[in-house]
């Protein structure tokens, strides 16, 4: 506690700036605000402390000066140094959670499909290249980067972290400047020296503080000590090495610091790629093994930030690319699944996820580590490229994203001591468990819960085809409940017919209608059961388009709306409308009307300059339309989604 | 001659009734126009007795009208037109009665002049009218002349321009008939031209870069957009409007006039409404309380618009204004269409065992009732109105006896 206080005290120096920085991202303030204010209170008595701190950098200056001589010499070792860096990170990740596993880390190695991850990693890489001279700086800047990133994440507030995080963003520039100056020639260096040293000092101060967090526990540690530690390159080592007089308590302390940071990182709802950001799209495209589809001519302006629909006619092009490209072998099982996504033969969050997991299982079984490569790293790269392939076929669903995330985490945590066979079997079993526990068993639990909500005489309305809802209805029917089902369907997919067919085959009494008639039919409905593609942290239900309309009308008629969703589909992201994030379907699907030949007006729509067809796949249902979310952990209100995210996500990952 | 014409008339009425029953004539504009034309025929063929000429006309129109209304109760415009014609006859008669006692109550002057200028005279006229025809010429006269006449005789202010046409011929019945036919001609013109009157107001409501959402197709909306397009550029989202999918045709028409148009599925209305500035739709009928009967799906759109506080504007001609108050509107004011529009016949036959009748029930309603609280504005050929003002419009254009 003392040490924490001390560390914070150090930070308090720049507290006013913290406020300014914080102002930029008001959204993030909520969570931390409470904590930081409390920490501020704790610090209040210590307020003189900030005054004490400035000397610290002074003390550090000589240390920095010691470092500066190697700096000019540094440009030479650039190439050798940058490679060693990532490994260190990985070590850190393996042994200590400090450098928490971030898929982005591995992105450096392989063209990451996910631009956001890729971006993060590229930043890291750049830093590695630019500032090889001062490891200390690098450290600090790395730390800053990571911390800065962590700022975007859900606050799992830990005082020290977030105060650093706050401080950091305004600091980031300083090391950057320094880095640029580093490689510059000696002539200028004299002149620059003052500046550099200032920057250095700051960097030192920074790392000192970080060090102090830990060091404070053993109050005996001298201030002068931190600088040498900084040399050690990795944050994690810093923590460990710092204390020659190692204390178990201290270790715990360190862990305390570390774990939440990790949590923060892993929860990162990484900013999505905005497809109207040309630079980033170009960047992503360069990185992607497969060239993303070229821009469609007839895109809807409102949705230019989304990946445009890929017509399956490009299938051949895809095939050529993959088969000819030797560098990236897509495993046939994954390839097959990808094509099925592309042709929409496998649809639905669960089905797609299960298919992907199965394919990955095949892939792992066939995997052998190439010579001179580390399995975990090579495998992650491989997974990344496969995921990139899958997302080319069709944008990943959130369920798949979550499954991939957990799988990569598992790979990252593989112990080096395992033999390849062991590692593979553990990965395969992970995939199996995921499918079993998170999907199949979860569905069973959901059915158990949901069935209790159906009573004799009910009229249950559902929209589209959700496999969980189907299970619920058929189970309720099989245990002898007397109820009627209203299936509401919507164009263009008309997947409600699949549900209707299956329910009719079981002998359930059904009413079938289209989404426009939902207000008409709602008067006789007593309950609404809907499925979801995902439930977001603010309670928004992200589901097939039309769900929101059905829920809205049900809400208007005071009919309870129940959403059946497995918790593995929950996501930390928040969303207010259906426009920021969505998936564009095939616009040509709107042209014809199934079973009715007379509607030919839209044929040849793409010849018209002014006509666009928009086929949205998802929409976002506001939380206030939802009465209850039925998960495998029980029935919860939408406000409890973040709680579930926090409480139930932890254990499998830790 | 009249006698010879009668079978023709009868045939015409039968024909129209059958067309209505078979839904061969649909849509408020088409039915309204045919109804008015038919009623004009009825009026012109009606032999008018010298005593109580108006009542015989009214009876004739009523008998035809009730058949037409019964033929398709959902074409509310038919009923509206019958009532309009009845109202015209009553007005015409009142004018003539007033003229007989030497007063021209509201002939060419407007209502205010009438009230201010000739109160005494109109009281005299009223007394005379009450003695002869037992009709009150106007609401104003009635109010000023103390309640000597029965409340049932209340009649709204006559429209000013309908009666100046009566020629100087002296035959009372001829004059009545002539006046009525003239007035019906005016009504017909009004129905035919209501688009242009509505679209004249387009520029007041549509601004640059507006994003407008609509569902299905509406003729007045097309004119409205065309007018607005002359001065402003804006874009339109068109929901298809299952099961008739008129949105497709509408979108094509809009795109043809170089309006940026996007077709969306009905289910995506909620997703997009947050980016929409205004919802403009046409209606099938407007009820006296300010609610509308509109193509199915409109209620959903209106609810979504309300959720995001997007104005929900309804374009409507006065011929769609119905003097009825909706009771249980989604059932009474609705019509279930063929299930085959939703689900092909036989599509589910493979999974029906046929033991207990038909377990699948396909619902395909044609209309939605949108309550007045979800509607922001009516734009009619007589200007913009609040839903709460609709009852007043009803009182102006219909006689209370005919409701």
């Amino acid at each position: 506690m003392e040490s924490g206080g001390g560390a914070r005290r150090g930070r308090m120096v720049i507290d006013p700036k913290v406020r300014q920085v914080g102002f930029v991202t008001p959204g993030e303030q909520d969570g931390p605000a409470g904590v930081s204010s409390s920490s501020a209170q704790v610090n209040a008595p210590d307020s003189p402390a900030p005054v004490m701190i400035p000397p610290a950098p002074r003390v550090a200056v000589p240390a920095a000066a010691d470092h500066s001589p190697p700096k000019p010499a540094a440009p030479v070792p650039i190439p050798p140094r940058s490679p060693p860096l990532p490994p260190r990170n990985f070590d850190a990740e393996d042994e200590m959670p400090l450098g928490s596993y971030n898929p982005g880390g591995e992105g450096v190695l392989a063209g990451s499909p996910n631009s956001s991850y890729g971006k993060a990693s590229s930043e890291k890489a750049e830093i590695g290249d630019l500032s090889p001279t001062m490891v200390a700086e690098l450290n600090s800047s790395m730390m800053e980067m990571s911390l800065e990133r962590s700022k975007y994440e859900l606050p799992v507030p830990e005082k020290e972290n977030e105060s650093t995080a706050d401080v950091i963003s305004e600091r980031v520039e300083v090391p950057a400047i320094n880095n640029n100056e580093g490689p510059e020639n000696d002539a200028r260096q004299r002149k620059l020296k003052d500046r550099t040293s200032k920057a250095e000092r700051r960097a030192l101060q920074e790392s000192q503080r970080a060090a102090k967090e830990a060091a404070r526990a053993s109050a005996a540690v001298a201030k002068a000590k931190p600088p040498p530690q900084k040399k050690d390159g990795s944050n994690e080592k810093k923590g460990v090495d710092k204390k020659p007089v190692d204390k178990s308590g201290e270790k715990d302390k360190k862990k305390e610091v570390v774990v939440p940071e990790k949590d923060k990182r892993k929860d990162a709802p990484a900013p999505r790629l905005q497809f109207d950001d040309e630079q980033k799209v170009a960047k992503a495209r360069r990185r992607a093994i497969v060239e993303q589809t070229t821009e469609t001519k007839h895109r809807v302006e409102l949705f230019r930030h989304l990946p445009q629909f890929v017509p399956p006619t490009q299938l051949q092009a895809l095939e050529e690319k993959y088969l000819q490209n030797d560098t990236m072998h897509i495993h046939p099982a994954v390839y097959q699944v990808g094509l099925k996504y592309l042709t929409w033969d496998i649809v639905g969050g669960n089905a797609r996820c299960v298919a992907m997991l199965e394919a990955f299982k095949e892939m792992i079984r066939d995997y052998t580590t190439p010579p001179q490569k580390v399995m975990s790293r090579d495998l992650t790269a491989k997974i990344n490229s496969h995921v990139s392939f899958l997302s080319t076929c069709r944008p990943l669903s959130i369920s798949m994203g979550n499954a991939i995330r957990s799988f990569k985490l598992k790979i990252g945590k593989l112990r080096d001591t395992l033999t390849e066979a062991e590692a593979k079997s553990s990965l395969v079993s992970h995939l199996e468990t995921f499918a079993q526990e998170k999907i199949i068993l979860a569905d069973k639990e959901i059915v158990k819960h949901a069935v209790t909500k159906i009573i004799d005489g009910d009229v249950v309305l559902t929209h589209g085809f959700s496999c969980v809802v189907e299970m619920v209805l058929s189970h309720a029917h099989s245990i002898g409940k007397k109820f009627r089902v209203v299936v509401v369907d919507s164009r263009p997919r008309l997947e409600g017919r699949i549900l209707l067919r299956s329910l009719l085959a079981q002998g359930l009494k059904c009413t079938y209608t289209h989404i426009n008639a939902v207000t008409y039919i709602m008067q006789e409905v007593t309950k609404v059961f809907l499925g979801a593609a995902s439930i977001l942290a603010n309670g928004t239900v992200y589901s097939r388009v039309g769900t929101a309309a059905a829920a809205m009308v049900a809400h208007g008629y005071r009919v309870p709306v129940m959403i059946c969703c497995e918790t593995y589909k929950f996501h930390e992201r928040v969303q207010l409308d259906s426009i920021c994030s969505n998936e564009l379907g095939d616009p040509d699907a709107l042209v014809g009307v199934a079973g009715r030949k007379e509607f030919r007006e839209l044929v040849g729509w793409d010849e018209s300059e002014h006509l666009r067809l928009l086929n949205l796949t998802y929409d976002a249902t506001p939380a206030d339309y939802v009465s209850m979310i039925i998960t495998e952990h029980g029935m919860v209100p939408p406000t409890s989604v973040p709680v579930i995210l926090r409480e139930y996500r932890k254990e499998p990952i830790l | 001659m009249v006698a010879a014409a009668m079978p023709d008339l009868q045939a015409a009425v039968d024909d129209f009734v059958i067309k209505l029953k078979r839904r061969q004539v649909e849509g408020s504009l088409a039915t309204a126009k045919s109804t008015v034309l038919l009623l004009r025929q009825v009026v012109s063929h009606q032999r008018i007795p010298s005593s109580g000429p108006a009542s015989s006309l009214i009876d004739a129109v009523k008998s035809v009208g009730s058949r037409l209304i019964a033929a398709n109760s959902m074409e509310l415009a038919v009923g509206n037109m019958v009532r309009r014609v009845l109202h015209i006859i009553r007005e015409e008669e009142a004018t003539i009665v007033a003229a007989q006692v030497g007063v021209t109550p509201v002939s060419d002057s407007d209502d205010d002049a009438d009230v201010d200028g000739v109160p005494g005279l109109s009281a005299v006229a009223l007394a005379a009218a009450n003695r002869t025809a037992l009709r009150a010429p106007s609401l104003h006269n009635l109010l000023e002349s103390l309640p000597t006449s029965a409340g049932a005789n209340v009649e709204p202010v006559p429209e000013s321009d309908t009666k100046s046409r009566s020629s100087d011929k002296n035959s009372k019945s001829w004059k009545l008939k002539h006046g009525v036919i003239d007035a019906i001609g005016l009504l017909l013109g009004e129905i035919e031209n209501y688009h242009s009157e509505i679209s004249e107001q387009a520029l007041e409501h549509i601004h640059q870069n507006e994003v407008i959402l609509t569902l299905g197709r509406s003729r007045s909306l097309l004119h409205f957009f065309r007018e607005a397009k002359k001065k402003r550029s804006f874009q339109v989202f068109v929901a298809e409007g299952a099961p008739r999918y008129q949105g497709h045709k509408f979108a094509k028409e809009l795109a043809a006039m170089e309006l940026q148009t996007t077709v969306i599925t009905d289910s995506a209305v909620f997703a997009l409404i947050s980016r929409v500035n205004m919802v403009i739709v046409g209606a099938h009928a407007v009820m006296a309380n300010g609610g509308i009967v509109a193509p199915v799906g409109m209620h959903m759109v209106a609810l979504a618009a309300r959720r995001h506080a997007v104005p929900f504007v309804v374009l409507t001609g006065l011929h769609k204004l119905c003097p009825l108050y909706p009771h249980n509107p989604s059932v009474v004011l609705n019509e279930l269409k063929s299930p085959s529009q939703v689900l092909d016949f036989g599509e589910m036959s493979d999974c029906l065992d046929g033991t207990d009748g038909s377990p699948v029930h396909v619902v395909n309603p044609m209309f939605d009732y949108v309550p007045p609280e979800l509607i922001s504005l009516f734009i009619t050929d007589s200007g913009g109105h609040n839903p709460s003002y609709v009852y007043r419009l009803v009182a102006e254009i219909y006689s209370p006896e005919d409701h």
Side-chain angles (χ1 to χ4, degrees):
Chain A
M1 198 64 241
E2 296 168 16
S3 77
R8 259 176 277 127
R9 201 192 299 149
R11 250 138 236 143
M12 287 304 283
V13 187
I14 2 160
D15 203 29
K17 283 174 200 163
V18 170
R19 294 281 143 72
Q20 286 172 355
V21 173
F23 220 88
V24 182
T25 53
E28 252 80 310
Q29 287 302 67
D30 289 4
V35 187
S36 66
S37 67
S38 73
S39 71
Q41 281 165 9
V42 176
N43 282 328
D46 297 337
S47 49
V51 190
M52 288 163 61
I53 276 303
R58 299 269 144 78
V59 180
V61 172
D66 292 344
H67 273 286
S68 50
K71 194 168 74 183
V76 186
I78 288 179
R81 269 212 196 172
S82 45
L85 249 152
R88 258 181 223 156
N89 265 346
F90 292 140
D91 294 346
E93 281 155 18
D94 285 345
E95 292 156 31
M96 291 271 299
L98 170 66
S100 85
Y101 179 85
N102 183 343
E106 283 75 17
V108 186
L109 304 168
S112 162
N114 190 330
S115 71
S116 52
Y117 285 10
K119 187 190 141 210
S121 63
S122 74
E123 274 164 12
K124 243 186 202 174
E126 276 165 13
I127 288 160
D129 291 343
L130 285 174
S131 62
T133 51
M134 287 199 58
V135 185
E137 282 169 20
L138 210 166
N139 264 339
S140 62
S141 66
M142 290 262 291
M143 229 172 66
E144 283 164 0
M145 295 312 293
S146 65
L147 283 169
E148 196 185 16
R149 215 177 312 145
S150 71
K151 248 181 36 161
Y152 291 103
E153 292 149 22
L154 277 187
V156 184
E158 173 78 0
K159 301 140 225 163
E160 294 112 295
N161 283 341
E162 121 243 328
S163 51
T164 18
D166 286 344
V167 172
I168 257 79
S169 58
E170 66 96 25
R171 297 209 134 211
V172 170
E173 306 146 23
V174 178
I177 292 168
N178 201 357
N179 294 342
N180 292 337
E181 285 163 357
E184 275 167 25
N185 56 17
D186 291 6
R188 282 183 70 192
Q189 214 189 350
R190 264 272 87 86
K191 209 181 162 193
L192 289 171
K193 192 132 202 187
D194 287 351
R195 256 218 272 172
T196 19
S197 65
K198 250 183 218 167
E200 275 165 32
R201 252 179 278 143
R202 278 214 185 170
L204 283 173
Q205 205 176 345
E206 179 66 50
S207 46
Q208 234 172 356
R209 269 178 214 136
K212 255 185 266 168
E213 285 171 19
R216 283 278 160 155
S218 57
V221 178
K223 268 181 191 171
K225 270 200 169 172
Q229 284 154 13
K230 267 171 270 159
K231 281 180 192 167
D232 288 333
S234 86
N235 291 346
E236 162 250 335
K237 270 189 186 165
K238 189 198 304 167
V240 180
D241 288 345
K242 193 186 303 160
K243 309 114 208 181
V245 204
D246 207 59
K247 281 172 189 170
S248 62
E250 204 172 8
K251 233 177 188 174
D252 292 349
K253 173 75 213 149
K254 187 67 195 164
K255 256 188 182 151
E256 263 178 41
V257 177
V258 148
V259 170
E261 197 177 319
K262 174 198 168 166
D263 272 357
K264 274 190 185 179
R265 281 246 218 132
K266 99 194 159 220
D267 285 347
R272 278 156 296 168
L273 176 61
Q274 302 295 309
F275 279 75
D276 53 348
D277 187 337
E278 284 170 21
Q279 282 184 343
K280 283 188 182 160
V281 169
K283 215 169 176 181
R285 202 167 281 162
R286 254 179 281 132
R287 198 159 308 170
I289 350 132
V290 182
E291 200 172 308
Q292 297 282 324
T293 25
T294 46
E295 298 185 350
T296 23
K297 202 176 106 199
H298 293 275
R299 66 177 180 194
V300 178
E301 280 304 296
L302 192 55
F303 288 95
R304 48 185 294 178
H305 61 286
L306 297 178
Q308 301 297 313
F309 176 76
V310 192
T313 46
Q314 295 197 354
L315 199 132
Q316 200 177 354
L318 256 185
E319 205 161 319
E320 276 165 19
K321 244 167 232 153
Y322 277 98
L323 298 182
Q324 288 168 7
N325 193 343
D326 292 340
T327 55
M328 276 305 153
H329 290 294
I330 298 299
H331 189 277
V334 179
Y335 188 73
Q336 195 181 5
V337 168
L339 293 190
K340 282 186 177 167
Y341 291 164
L342 184 69
T343 54
W344 288 67
D345 284 334
I346 299 182
V347 288
N350 285 343
R352 284 170 73 191
C353 191
V354 169
M356 183 189 71
L357 293 176
E358 286 296 321
F360 279 174
K361 231 189 305 184
E362 283 298 306
M363 192 188 91
I364 297 290
R365 284 198 186 110
D366 295 347
Y367 174 82
T368 45
T369 316
Q372 293 165 352
K373 288 206 173 163
V374 181
M375 178 176 180
S376 63
R377 284 169 57 197
D378 183 62
L379 196 55
T380 316
K382 222 167 158 59
I383 294 285
N384 278 342
S385 69
H386 281 67
V387 167
S388 145
F389 167 75
L390 291 181
S391 72
T392 316
C393 294
R394 192 186 153 189
L396 300 182
S397 69
I398 290 176
S399 59
M400 288 161 70
N402 284 341
I404 293 167
R405 193 157 65 165
S406 109
F407 184 48
K408 280 196 192 166
L409 210 65
K410 174 76 184 168
I411 298 175
K413 280 207 220 134
L414 281 179
R415 294 194 193 286
D416 292 340
T417 52
L418 291 179
T419 65
E420 190 178 307
E422 281 168 345
K424 273 164 68 176
S425 72
S426 107
L427 287 179
V428 168
S429 80
H430 170 84
L431 291 173
E432 269 165 4
T433 343
F434 192 91
Q436 276 295 331
E437 278 179 10
K438 301 280 180 184
I439 303 177
I440 297 172
L441 290 179
D443 283 348
K444 280 188 183 152
E445 278 302 303
I446 290 173
V447 168
K448 244 185 251 170
H449 290 304
V451 160
T452 62
K453 291 294 153 200
I454 299 180
I455 54 171
D456 284 353
D458 261 344
V459 180
V460 177
L461 181 139
T462 184
H463 170 255
F465 172 62
S466 157
C467 56
V468 191
V469 171
E470 189 206 353
M471 280 188 251
V472 169
L473 296 177
S474 59
H475 184 64
H477 179 68
S478 68
I479 60 173
K481 305 234 172 162
K482 302 267 177 294
F483 63 104
R484 201 154 61 80
V485 181
V486 177
V487 180
V488 176
D489 213 347
S490 59
R491 287 235 311 143
R493 302 267 317 283
L494 294 177
E495 44 182 3
R497 290 185 185 181
I498 306 169
L499 178 64
L500 181 67
R501 193 175 289 275
S502 114
L503 295 181
L504 285 178
Q506 296 172 41
L508 264 161
K509 282 200 179 344
C510 293
T511 302
Y512 178 82
T513 190
H514 52 85
I515 186 81
N516 273 346
V518 71
T519 47
Y520 175 86
I521 206 75
M522 195 56 82
Q523 298 164 73
E524 56 194 61
V525 170
T526 56
K527 261 147 214 168
V528 176
F529 280 88
L530 298 167
S534 176
I535 299 182
L536 310 180
N538 59 346
T540 300
V541 175
Y542 185 68
S543 188
R544 67 179 58 73
V545 68
T547 302
M552 172 186 69
V553 173
H555 181 76
Y557 281 86
R558 308 287 187 274
V559 178
V561 177
M562 283 164 268
I563 307 284
C564 302
C565 184
E566 304 84 356
T567 49
Y568 87 101
K569 288 178 179 173
F570 285 22
H571 201 275
E572 297 83 358
R573 222 166 59 194
V574 291
Q575 202 174 320
L576 287 174
D577 59 23
S578 324
I579 294 171
C580 297
S581 153
N582 213 317
E583 187 187 326
L584 300 181
D586 182 6
D588 285 312
L590 296 195
V591 172
V593 180
R596 296 175 74 186
K597 300 275 184 289
E598 65 267 35
F599 297 106
R600 309 288 301 164
E601 277 94 356
L602 291 181
V603 174
W605 63 277
D606 42 0
E607 288 156 19
S608 167
E609 179 76 6
H610 302 277
L611 189 58
R612 300 275 185 281
L613 304 190
L614 175 66
N615 180 6
L616 278 185
T617 309
Y618 294 107
D619 67 11
T621 310
D624 50 342
Y625 291 157
V626 179
S627 320
M628 176 196 276
I629 296 170
I630 304 179
T631 73
E632 69 264 32
H633 298 309
M635 294 174 274
V636 298
T639 44
S640 297
V641 172
V643 179
I644 291 203
L645 277 172
R646 253 187 80 163
E647 298 304 320
Y648 289 88
R649 273 288 163 76
K650 260 182 200 161
E651 38 182 10
I653 289 167
L654 276 185
Chain B
M1 185 223 158
V2 172
M6 280 306 275
D8 284 354
L9 178 63
Q10 209 56 45
V13 171
D14 288 343
D15 185 43
F16 187 50
V17 165
I18 285 171
K19 273 188 179 165
L20 278 177
K21 274 188 180 162
R22 291 181 181 163
R23 312 294 191 254
Q24 284 166 333
V25 185
E26 275 193 319
S28 49
L29 182 69
T31 50
K33 238 161 94 177
S34 328
T35 311
V36 173
L37 287 171
L38 192 69
L39 290 180
R40 190 164 68 176
Q41 249 180 307
V42 170
V43 170
S44 63
H45 288 159
Q46 180 65 33
R47 182 181 296 144
I48 298 181
S50 51
S51 64
S55 60
S56 74
L57 254 189
I58 288 172
D59 288 343
V61 171
K62 266 189 179 168
S63 72
V64 172
S66 59
R67 280 186 67 199
L68 297 183
I69 292 171
N72 184 353
S73 58
M74 261 328 287
E75 291 296 351
L76 294 165
V78 174
N80 298 345
M81 287 306 104
V82 173
R83 293 188 182 97
R84 285 290 282 275
V85 171
L86 288 174
H87 180 62
I88 286 169
I89 298 171
R90 289 178 209 279
E91 259 179 12
E92 221 30 71
E93 191 208 5
T95 322
I96 289 165
V97 169
Q100 268 183 341
V101 292
V103 184
T104 51
V106 278
S107 58
D108 284 324
S109 59
D110 60 329
D111 296 351
D112 293 340
D114 174 41
V115 175
D116 298 338
V118 286
L121 279 180
S122 60
V124 174
L126 176 82
N130 275 341
R131 265 197 309 278
T132 55
L134 292 173
R135 297 264 173 242
S138 85
L139 185 61
H140 299 286
N141 298 345
L142 187 74
L143 287 174
E144 282 153 14
S145 67
L146 299 172
T148 46
S149 60
N153 290 339
V154 173
E155 229 181 35
V157 184
E159 282 171 13
S160 55
D161 55 347
T162 50
K163 49 236 120 193
S164 59
R165 314 281 163 161
S166 39
S167 67
D168 48 357
K169 298 239 178 175
N170 278 330
S171 157
K172 187 176 133 196
S173 60
W174 192 89
K175 210 158 89 183
L176 176 71
K177 212 159 132 178
H178 185 80
V180 167
I181 288 172
D182 267 359
I184 290 178
L186 283 178
L187 176 62
L188 205 57
E190 179 198 313
I191 294 169
E192 277 164 350
N193 294 325
Y194 86 100
H195 296 314
S196 59
E197 307 241 342
I198 291 178
S199 55
E200 273 169 20
Q201 305 164 53
L203 288 179
E204 291 174 31
H205 297 283
I206 296 182
H207 296 275
Q208 194 71 16
N209 291 333
E210 199 114 43
V211 181
I212 294 169
L213 185 138
T214 185
L215 179 126
R217 179 174 181 271
S218 156
R219 215 176 285 106
S220 37
L221 196 52
L222 189 68
H223 287 87
F224 198 74
F225 284 153
R226 181 170 292 145
E227 198 63 32
K229 180 73 182 70
K230 288 177 186 164
K231 294 273 166 58
R232 311 269 151 82
S233 82
F234 53 98
Q235 59 163 311
V236 184
F237 283 108
V238 182
E240 313 178 293
R244 287 155 68 86
Y245 302 105
Q246 288 189 311
H248 291 178
K249 191 176 171 197
F250 191 54
K252 196 126 198 215
E253 286 165 341
L254 291 183
M257 55 197 229
E258 303 195 337
L259 203 55
Q260 192 60 51
T261 312
T262 309
V263 181
I264 58 171
T265 53
D266 300 318
S267 45
V269 165
F270 187 89
L272 285 167
I273 199 96
S274 59
R275 294 296 184 279
V276 166
N277 300 124
M278 201 196 292
V279 177
I280 309 183
V281 297
H284 176 72
V286 180
M287 307 312 289
N289 67 344
I292 60 168
V293 175
V296 68
M298 210 60 95
H299 193 208
M300 187 183 77
V301 177
L303 280 173
R306 165 53 46 97
R307 163 84 189 185
H308 291 274
V310 177
F312 187 86
V313 177
V314 178
L315 301 189
T316 177
L318 282 183
H319 65 278
K320 295 182 183 180
L321 192 56
C322 178
L324 302 176
Y325 282 85
H327 170 70
N328 198 5
S330 58
V331 177
V332 177
L333 293 176
N334 214 335
E335 194 167 41
L336 290 174
K337 290 296 210 180
S338 158
S340 71
Q341 289 181 337
V342 179
L343 193 65
D344 257 351
F345 178 75
E347 175 147 349
M348 290 291 152
S349 54
D350 54 323
C351 45
L352 301 180
D353 52 3
T355 47
D356 54 344
S358 88
V360 64
H361 177 211
V362 177
V363 181
N364 182 17
M366 193 175 179
F367 297 110
D368 255 0
Y369 168 73
V370 182
E373 56 268 23
L374 297 181
I375 297 168
S376 316
L377 187 70
F378 284 105
I379 299 178
T380 71
D381 34 355
S382 71
H385 301 292
N386 241 13
S388 56
Y389 184 73
V390 169
Y391 84 98
R392 190 72 198 101
L393 290 175
V394 167
E396 258 172 43
I397 61 173
Y398 297 113
S399 302
E401 298 94 319
D402 304 326
H403 283 185

